[in-house]
């Protein structure tokens, strides 16, 4: 039986996080707090639910992608909803979020666990996890941990390609000025 045919998935799929009377839905808050497009936040929310299904049914420990982890962290701030509704009524079991103890052994453990999570995802959902939400294990545990969260009110953020293009244009303009000054 595929994951989407299970009672657990039906409960997860119909579940709305948080109280209905909030000014922002959970997905809207997730988008705002992570500076994501609303459509991307909706997709991450679906992937979070798929992760929770795997956490209950995969038969092994699972590790989320960073985007899915952001959804999980935010959900945990809705503590009554998370523990009293989500775990009790939807998952019908506790789903704890524990931090890593750090170090090489832990990184290797989570790297391997994440790779196994991706394999289980494909086996149970019948398709590969979307790369833009679930990057490969190398990206997740080697490249992405170097990232830092910044406040865009304090800095300019340019994609690498644009920064190189701007630096190249400045270099060409400077070289042209030097040539003109030499004449």
């Amino acid at each position: 039986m595929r994951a989407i045919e299970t009672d657990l998935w039906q409960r997860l799929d119909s579940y709305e996080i948080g109280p209905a009377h909030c000014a922002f839905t959970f997905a809207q808050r997730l988008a705002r707090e992570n500076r994501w497009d609303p459509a991307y936040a909706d997709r991450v929310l679906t992937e979070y639910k798929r992760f929770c299904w795997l956490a209950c049914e995969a038969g092994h420990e699972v590790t989320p992608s960073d985007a899915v982890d952001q959804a999980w962290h935010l959900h945990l701030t809705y503590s009554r909803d998370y523990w009293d509704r989500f775990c009790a009524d939807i998952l019908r079991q506790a789903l704890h979020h524990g931090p890593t103890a750090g170090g090489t052994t832990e990184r290797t453990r989570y790297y391997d666990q994440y790779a196994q999570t991706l394999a289980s995802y494909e086996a149970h959902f019948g398709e590969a996890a979307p790369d833009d939400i679930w990057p490969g294990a190398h990206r997740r545990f080697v490249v992405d941990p170097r990232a830092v969260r910044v406040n865009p009110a304090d800095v300019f953020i340019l994609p690498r390609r644009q920064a190189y293009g701007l630096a190249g244009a400045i270099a060409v303009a400077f070289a042209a000025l030097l040539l003109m000054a030499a004449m």
Side-chain angles (χ1 to χ4, degrees), residues 19-62:
H21 65 275
C22 293
F24 289 104
T25 66
F26 181 83
Q28 289 170 327
R29 188 170 168 202
L30 186 63
R32 186 188 68 199
E33 291 188 10
N34 288 283
R35 301 182 56 83
W36 292 339
D37 177 86
Y40 182 78
D42 285 337
R43 290 179 54 234
V44 169
L45 185 51
T46 297
E47 296 305 316
Y48 168 60
K49 290 177 179 183
R50 287 184 171 204
F51 166 76
C52 292
W53 188 94
L54 289 168
C56 294
E57 299 294 332
H60 59 83
E61 289 188 72
V62 293

Side-chain angles (χ1 to χ4, degrees), residues 51-52 55-56 72 76 82-83 86-87 91 93-97:
F51 166 76
C52 292
C56 294
W72 195 4
L76 285 163
Y82 184 83
W83 292 109
F86 185 65
C87 289
L91 300 181
Q93 66 182 36
L95 180 58
H96 292 278
H97 187 300

